[in-house]
Amino acid sequence: MKRKLIVKVLLCLLMVASIGMFFGCHGAKVTNEFVIPEEFDLTKEYNITFWAKNDSNKVQKQIYTDTVRRFEEYYPNIHVTIQNYSDYVKIYNDVINNLVTKTTPNVCITYPDYVATFIEGENVVVPLDNLINNEKFGFGGSEVKFDSVKEDELIDKFMDELVINDKQYALPFVRSSEATYVNKNLVNELGFELPDVLTWDFVWEVCAKAREVYPLSEYKTFIPLIYKSTDNMMIQMTKQKEIEFTKENGEVLLFNDKTKELLKELAEYGRLGYYDTFKRVSYPGNFFNAGNCIFAIDSTAGATWMGSSAPLMDIPEEDVKEFETVVYPVPQENKDKKAMISQGPSICIFNKEDSGEVLASWLFAQFLLNDETQIAYAKTEGYVPVTKSAMESDAYKSYLASGDEKSDEFYSVKIDASKVVIDNINNTFITPVFSGSSLVRTAAGELIETSLQDVKSKKYNDSDEYYNKLFENIKALYKINNIVVK
């Protein structure tokens, strides 16, 4: 655990140092602000790079390849080279490193927190408002050679997530959230019936009963609840409990007395053996599929790893237990006021000296929003399309209606995870985005991880002195006090 934490901290510090090196170079040449060309030269050859995130998924890679092929049929003069990544942080680090040499990609899959850091550099990322509204090359533009998405077809909630400093700096690609994958059989065996809305009170009650039946001293490999991302765990719990997190201007409010009370509650549940985390034990799906976990909380984008018939597994077939999987949103504090995180890949465009190259990049970014690509990619996991045209299409509706527990493509748990996102679009939220907001997210999760580890190693106490020291250590570790409030 300590070694993993050290590596994680070093990566964070490397990111901070790299950012400072780039943005602190007063003599660095700044690319001119992008101006939309009056015309796009179809006789000129453009070579653009696309850095894509694909979870090491062959199907996702093929979707990107097919999308590029179809795009190049419309624009034979634009040649797209894909560089595949399996990790968002790796993309982020490579972008930061390449900022110094001005060798960033043209189009990049990333997160809004990261874009907020990229735009600290002058004219690094292209704001998209003028491009979106351009009569010739914007959404539904007269000179776009393919059937371009119309602006009113983008789901407003997803577009609004990518407005930074009052400008649209990225486009959503697909969206996901977190889900609670529930072993219904175990819940029933413990004497409970699943409710319409899963609440934290219900979850902790089931966990308490589970520990009576499966005491920690005898069943150490049985963990009632495992949470994949403690970053998201803390973010969603503070939102549900109306605990202040951050402000739009970069002010960090998380380290407060209400947060202490939440951490004390979680520490006690950890001491009782009600829950554990991915970083401490392993992937939730590994325990869940073996029947050693009742509630596995993970991304909807990981749905194909969850359940007795999951197409993807990391445990031997003989260890898999047969049970019914039910998919819920994350547990709620108040069933009448739901809150769950919105996540998933977004698309940004980097500025270049050649405005025609940037326009070529924009045309490709638009093409990623076509129905065929949107639906195909959404079907690979518990993602949902970001356009109304794709979401309301007969093809996507047919997919959602075709759940089959034994089918890879139509795996019912995956489809149920997608429905969780669709049914709760208006309940999703993101935390404020600014340069350094990604570090605050990581620090939030580390509050849970560190206090839980201290509980397990008998170093924990619930005094104000303990929490004041924990807060200061985490803030120093992730340079929280260095974040500039604007």
Side-chain angles (χ1 to χ4, degrees), residues 331-342:
Q332 300 296 312
E333 181 72 16
N334 182 344
K335 64 181 180 180
D336 297 320
K337 195 175 182 180
K338 299 176 185 176
M340 51 194 283
I341 201 159
S342 177

Side-chain angles (χ1 to χ4, degrees), residues 188-238:
N188 293 159
E189 287 171 15
L190 291 169
F192 297 89
E193 293 295 328
L194 286 170
D196 292 334
V197 178
L198 198 66
T199 64
W200 279 112
D201 285 343
F202 176 84
V203 166
W204 296 131
E205 186 180 359
V206 174
C207 290
K209 182 63 177 180
R211 272 304 171 215
E212 290 180 15
V213 178
Y214 304 99
L216 183 60
S217 58
E218 298 177 39
Y219 296 90
K220 293 185 178 179
T221 60
F222 181 88
I223 305 172
L225 183 153
I226 301 178
Y227 214 119
K228 170 70 184 303
S229 169
T230 42
D231 300 7
N232 287 342
M233 183 181 186
M234 177 59 87
I235 289 166
Q236 289 173 127
M237 282 186 151
T238 54

